[in-house]
Amino acid sequence: MYPPSFDYAAPDDLDEALKLLELHNEDAKIMTGGVGLINAMKHHVIKPGFLIDISRIRELGLIGDHGGYLSIGAAVKVAELQRSDLVKRNYTALSEAAGAIADPLLRNMISVGGNVCTGNPDDDLPPVFLSMDAQYILAGRNGRRVIDADGFYLGHMSTAIRPGEILVEVRVPRQTERSGSAYIKRELRQNDHLVAGVAASISLEEDGRYKRLAFGLSGSGNTSIHARLPKFTGSRPVDVPVGDIAKMVVEEASPLSDRQGSASYKRKVILVLAREALTLALQRAEQGGQK
Amino acid sequence: MKISVNFNGRNVDADVEPRKLLVDFIRDDLHLTGTHVGCDTSSCGACTILLDGVAVKSCTMFAVQANNRNITTIEGLSKGDELHRLQSAFIEEGGLQCGYCTPGMIMTSAWLLSNNAAPTEKEIRNGISGNLCRCTGYDSIIRSIQKASSDRRGGRK
Ligand SMILES: Cc1cc2nc3c(=O)[nH]c(=O)nc-3n(C[C@H](O)[C@H](O)[C@H](O)COP(=O)(O)OP(=O)(O)OC[C@H]3O[C@@H](n4cnc5c(N)ncnc54)[C@H](O)[C@@H]3O)c2cc1C
Ligand code: FES
Ligand code: FES
């Protein structure tokens, strides 16, 4: 299977990439890992005339602790995100979601930017970024803008990226002392298409009450879903059964019936996953969270 | 587009169309036919190679993406007639039947062992989960990899 001919450039400098994008805008695609693009191009689903490969731009390949937030470059491979000790320790759900993507070989190829920018509601990183109130940094010829992950996913395969823009970085607010997170994905077989996935991200007050409680869902509707539950802020975890919270999470989901199961089956799966993810996140928060 | 790639320790300069898939460049232009094509859609791992030492699926890359990088294919593992210890182990443990998945399995295993010299069975099973085998049922493949990880004298390191 071959795509129609196209031109290709792999600049090692972001300004050069932005210039090329402006020049070829209508016809160009940004390529970071290439896994999504190449499969779509082989099937002639898209036929870009110009590919701008940004994987060689050094500044886009870094993960770092910037005090107030975790910074993840758009070209970071999801395998690196999965392996990073910093991410494992303080942003556990993110490491778990990265490790849930595809298989070990594809994780060496798929980038954070590609996973975030496709806008596929079944992808694993977006729900975690939503649950952690992440921000996406978009660069254009006229400078950068910051957009909340919450405002990024507009519809199925549709995002807030404007023509001429490149996602360069994801910022995840630093989790407090007593925070914890978890991501659990259910598949019928290993590496099969998902049934659904749930991310839970919480932080607790000094005295153990909920300070923040948020969920992100994959495979649960037209877009990646953010379920914030401010209602529980201030309650003590012992006073609100995990099952009650999970029921409210399911209310935010609108899964579709497909080969992975009926919508009502998926709702049950989401209920169970929400319970399990919250229980894990709570345990992690109570064990001290951020180190 | 002109590219320069190091294949199995040898520098190759070539002029390729950007849409040329890396696996086809390896098989059709370099005539290294050990790297196989199974699914052509990123699923089976028959096309696995090492890119700067890291296992990737060469059906899901264009050759131009490999410019100025190092590639190892199954042909690059043995040292002349001396087999790599993974190759010997696959023979000794019967880690193959038809052999279609084998080059990919071995390249993935080589990457796995380069990061983890003594993986557990679970780590091996997870590690090769991007490589499909239609014949063996995997058990003999797992045993082969275990053998290669414990038997360090069986071949080249
Ligand atoms: C066999 C298979 C299994 C998969 N399994 C999973 C899975 O389990 N979980 C999961 O989450 N995903 C899975 N995926 C999907 C995969 O994560 C997406 O296709 C992802 O887009 C691939 O990332 P990439 O870096 O290769 O993206 P690319 O192919 O480089 O790009 C994908 C899209 O994003 C755009 N883009 C990329 N980077 C940027 C940027 N920095 N700025 C603006 N736009 C950008 C591109 O223009 C393109 O439209 C799977 C894919 C395959 C083929
Ligand atoms: S041929 Fe590349 S993964 Fe199947
Ligand atoms: S030996 Fe036949 S596919 Fe693995």
Side-chain angles (χ1 to χ4, degrees), chain A residues 108-130:
Chain A
N108 289 335
M109 311 176 75
I110 292 172
S111 70
V112 172
N115 197 264
V116 158
C117 291
T118 303
N120 186 333
D122 296 346
D123 284 353
D124 291 303
L125 297 184
V128 181
F129 287 139
L130 285 167

Side-chain angles (χ1 to χ4, degrees), chain B:
Chain B
M1 184 181 157
K2 290 208 164 33
I3 58 169
S4 170
V5 186
N6 187 294
F7 277 93
N8 299 328
R10 187 169 61 96
N11 262 334
V12 173
D13 292 306
D15 196 359
V16 294
E17 246 200 289
R19 64 176 173 160
K20 175 82 134 195
L21 292 169
L22 179 58
V23 71
D24 293 335
F25 181 67
I26 294 171
R27 290 177 54 83
D28 300 345
D29 296 7
L30 301 181
H31 306 295
L32 296 170
T33 52
T35 304
H36 292 166
V37 182
C39 64
D40 200 16
T41 52
S42 320
S43 300
C44 74
C47 62
T48 306
I49 54 148
L50 303 186
L51 179 68
D52 293 332
V54 174
V56 296
K57 294 179 168 177
S58 64
C59 72
T60 312
M61 277 184 71
F62 296 117
V64 288
Q65 290 175 265
N67 190 23
N68 293 325
R69 303 183 71 173
N70 298 297
I71 286 184
T72 312
T73 66
I74 186 74
E75 290 88 349
L77 276 193
S78 59
K79 215 199 252 162
D81 286 341
E82 190 192 330
L83 293 181
H84 184 277
R85 67 175 196 278
L86 271 163
Q87 293 171 309
S88 312
F90 269 69
I91 294 169
E92 286 156 23
E93 291 296 325
L96 65 151
Q97 287 180 24
C98 80
Y100 204 86
C101 69
T102 314
M105 282 289 178
I106 291 184
M107 296 318 286
T108 297
S109 310
W111 168 66
L112 204 65
L113 295 185
S114 73
N115 288 315
N116 182 355
T120 62
E121 179 181 335
K122 193 165 172 221
E123 286 169 337
I124 295 175
R125 285 192 186 270
N126 278 329
I128 61 167
S129 61
N131 295 77
L132 302 183
C133 176
R134 286 298 196 195
C135 304
T136 62
Y138 299 100
D139 283 352
S140 59
I141 293 177
I142 312 285
R143 280 200 306 275
S144 306
I145 301 169
Q146 282 171 327
K147 174 152 186 124
S149 67
S150 53
D151 179 12
R152 260 126 185 315
R153 288 150 301 162
R156 202 173 123 208
K157 200 175 161 222

Side-chain angles (χ1 to χ4, degrees), chain A residues 58-127:
Chain A
R58 197 150 298 187
E59 60 167 296
L60 303 189
L62 307 173
I63 303 181
D65 186 354
H66 285 226
Y69 61 89
L70 171 77
S71 161
I72 308 165
V76 168
K77 300 292 185 197
V78 296
E80 291 169 58
L81 198 60
Q82 177 192 4
R83 270 197 310 264
S84 156
D85 285 329
L86 172 65
V87 177
K88 262 190 223 160
R89 204 164 52 232
N90 298 341
Y91 308 85
T92 318
L94 200 48
S95 170
E96 288 171 337
I101 294 173
D103 62 52
L105 309 179
L106 287 175
R107 290 199 288 274
N108 289 335
M109 311 176 75
I110 292 172
S111 70
V112 172
N115 197 264
V116 158
C117 291
T118 303
N120 186 333
D122 296 346
D123 284 353
D124 291 303
L125 297 184

Side-chain angles (χ1 to χ4, degrees), chain A residues 159-177:
Chain A
T159 70
I161 295 186
R162 295 183 190 138
E165 284 184 331
I166 297 177
L167 174 87
V168 288
E169 181 191 353
V170 177
R171 291 183 182 169
V172 190
R174 187 163 213 273
Q175 309 291 297
T176 57
E177 285 283 304

